Amino acid sequence: MNWEDTPEEAAFREEVRGFVKERFPAGYRPDRGGEHSLEPEDVWGYNWPADRVSDDPDRRDGALAWAAALAERGWITPHWPTEYGGAGLSTMREFILQEEMMRARVPTVNGIGAFLLGPTLLAAGTEEQKAEHLPPIARGERTWAQGFSEPESGSDLASVRTRAVRDGDDYVVNGQKVWTSLGQYADWLFVLVRTDPEAHRHKGLTFLLVDTRTPGVTVRPIVDIRGDTPFAEVFFSDARVPVANRVGEENRGWYVAMTALSFERAGIGATVKFEQALSSLVDYVNSEEGRRYLRADTTGLRQEIARRYAEVRVLYNLARYTVSKQVAGDVPGYEASVNQLFGAELAGRIARTGATAFGAFAELWGREGAPLGAAFTHLRLDSVAATFLGGTTEIQRNVIATRGLGLPR
């Protein structure tokens, strides 16, 4: 397939590069000592939802200024209609925008609200819901988190037990959500709750929008394997959520949730991140400093790095193929699972390749004085989460087998 830009796409790519160079705040720099979040589109050293409320005024002001600059062009929500603050870009131009921002190593803004909830409301929300929630997302003023997973309902999403009981104009919600990415920084949550415990498990669920300031909602950060807190658990104790905040019909929330998940990105963020990680590894091991840390036995290391480069190009082509289907008006199905599975497992292989290049020095966790600032040591722990973010590798294999290959369940 020919993935070359058309003349118009090439011009737009140059426009994006010029915009980033001109408008990205000079004082908004990576936090070298901090952990980035775990999502594929995260740029190391930045965590925009956290940065916007940081105690560091330079970081906070930089995050807000960057959001304002993107919002001027509708580039926080590039594919949305202009009436809701978007730019009305084509799928391919949205892809190019995301790719160039990743290559420039600048953070995207308002990811879950912009790329998951927003399109869901455009497809299934009421006019009142669209008017209330979409413009603040497009301006970078309201952040969202996804409240789907529960302690015993991660990959098996249909088994959620958080309960919502109708009481007049409200639902009274009780239960717990877990692994809520960046939940402690979210202004709002979209959650899947059970409203009919007697119905078939896929048919008794409802999709609700919940203000995190609601009495009875408690958000607690969870410390991960790295010692950081990229996600949280959320507790509901008689929290009253207006019926007006229900998206779609009662007991039909499963289908709304599947709409939300269908808007997962194509995966260009992971491709660029992996490509840059490998390039930094090659440059470093060829430097004088890098040679001091390089393990004595480098037999096969060159071939291993070459294999990782080839795999990154495969991932890039999977991402482009997913986008090409969207451009053609199709909805990616099992192809998205192929992309997710391949990218998740590639993250682990790249992390191992980079870490083992330094032998015993790969055990250094502190960034000061470690090879490449211990980047691959940290990536090894990040990559553990890649195998279940957005659906476990086992679930992805089931989707590929049944929907892609036509195998029986």
Side-chain angles (χ1 to χ4, degrees):
M1 295 182 179
N2 181 6
W3 299 133
E4 291 185 3
D5 291 338
T6 66
E8 294 77 15
E9 290 166 353
F12 179 70
R13 192 180 292 277
E14 288 301 319
E15 179 185 346
V16 174
R17 291 171 179 170
F19 170 83
V20 171
K21 184 176 180 180
E22 178 183 348
R23 297 299 302 276
F24 189 74
Y28 189 20
R29 311 315 306 167
D31 178 4
R32 298 293 179 185
E35 300 289 352
H36 57 70
S37 183
L38 297 174
E39 302 297 330
E41 283 73 28
D42 294 326
V43 176
W44 180 77
Y46 293 103
N47 184 337
W48 186 84
D51 293 343
R52 71 187 275 265
V53 294
S54 173
D55 293 332
D56 180 344
D58 290 336
R59 180 159 295 278
R60 182 180 63 249
D61 293 347
L64 295 175
W66 179 229
L70 289 170
E72 284 179 17
R73 297 200 174 203
W75 283 0
I76 291 177
T77 53
H79 197 46
W80 291 13
T82 55
E83 63 187 285
Y84 295 115
L89 296 185
S90 67
T91 300
M92 185 53 70
R93 291 201 176 197
E94 180 182 23
F95 181 89
I96 290 170
L97 173 63
Q98 185 191 359
E99 180 179 2
E100 289 305 317
M101 287 177 63
M102 286 295 300
R103 293 198 183 284
R105 305 192 187 204
V106 298
T108 54
V109 169
N110 223 344
I112 291 176
F115 291 95
L116 285 183
L117 178 70
T120 303
L121 289 183
L122 287 169
T126 65
E127 291 305 316
E128 292 77 13
Q129 289 168 346
K130 294 174 188 177
E132 178 181 356
H133 296 296
L134 296 183
I137 295 173
R139 294 192 297 265
E141 297 171 356
R142 183 176 296 173
T143 56
W144 287 78
Q146 175 182 287
F148 282 3
S149 294
E150 296 184 2
E152 297 181 10
S153 303
S155 298
D156 186 10
L157 186 57
S159 67
V160 298
R161 295 186 296 181
T162 294
R163 188 83 166 87
V165 178
R166 179 78 177 260
D167 181 23
D169 292 333
D170 293 330
Y171 288 103
V172 180
V173 182
N174 286 279
Q176 179 188 358
K177 298 293 180 178
V178 75
W179 315 130
T180 305
S181 297
L182 301 176
Q184 66 270 42
Y185 306 113
D187 302 310
W188 283 71
L189 308 166
F190 54 97
V191 302
L192 200 60
V193 297
R194 188 162 299 283
T195 41
D196 185 353
E198 304 301 323
H200 184 279
R201 63 196 202 121
H202 290 90
K203 296 181 179 179
L205 301 171
T206 298
F207 192 103
L208 297 179
L209 310 178
V210 181
D211 188 332
T212 56
R213 298 168 299 179
T214 301
V217 175
T218 302
V219 181
R220 297 177 184 168
I222 298 175
V223 179
D224 71 2
I225 193 173
R226 309 166 303 169
D228 197 37
T229 54
F231 36 59
E233 54 187 346
V234 184
F235 297 89
F236 300 91
S237 179
D238 291 330
R240 301 187 73 89
V241 179
V243 173
N245 287 8
R246 184 187 70 215
V247 180
E249 300 176 28
E250 185 172 291
N251 297 327
R252 300 276 296 175
W254 173 262
Y255 306 100
V256 180
M258 292 304 100
T259 298
L261 294 178
S262 73
F263 292 114
E264 292 279 3
R265 299 186 189 183
I268 187 60
T271 299
V272 175
K273 182 185 291 187
F274 296 161
E275 183 181 88
Q276 290 175 339
L278 285 172
S279 294
S280 69
L281 175 63
V282 170
D283 290 343
Y284 188 76
V285 298
N286 284 318
S287 69
E288 182 177 347
E289 178 183 344
R291 285 192 291 272
R292 293 205 309 267
Y293 288 112
L294 197 61
R295 72 180 191 231
D297 178 14
T298 59
T299 304
L301 179 60
R302 183 188 300 271
Q303 288 79 5
E304 193 172 341
I305 291 174
R307 283 195 294 271
R308 299 293 88 82
Y309 264 114
E311 290 166 342
V312 167
R313 298 313 300 169
V314 170
L315 185 63
Y316 180 81
N317 279 275
L318 288 172
R320 291 299 298 248
Y321 176 66
T322 300
V323 169
S324 71
K325 291 205 68 171
Q326 294 172 323
V327 170
D330 296 330
V331 177
Y334 71 90
E335 297 92 347
S337 290
V338 173
N339 196 329
Q340 168 75 13
L341 175 63
F342 190 82
E345 296 189 339
L346 177 56
R349 292 194 294 273
I350 288 175
R352 287 191 295 274
T353 294
T356 57
F358 303 113
F361 289 113
E363 300 301 318
L364 295 174
W365 179 255
R367 294 189 182 277
E368 292 296 327
L372 265 178
F376 284 92
T377 304
H378 286 243
L379 183 59
R380 287 184 75 176
L381 298 189
D382 290 357
S383 67
V384 174
T387 60
F388 54 82
L389 283 170
T392 66
T393 53
E394 292 82 3
I395 291 294
Q396 306 302 345
R397 284 184 166 84
N398 284 339
V399 171
I400 295 166
T402 56
R403 300 181 190 175
L405 300 176
L407 298 177
R409 289 185 178 274

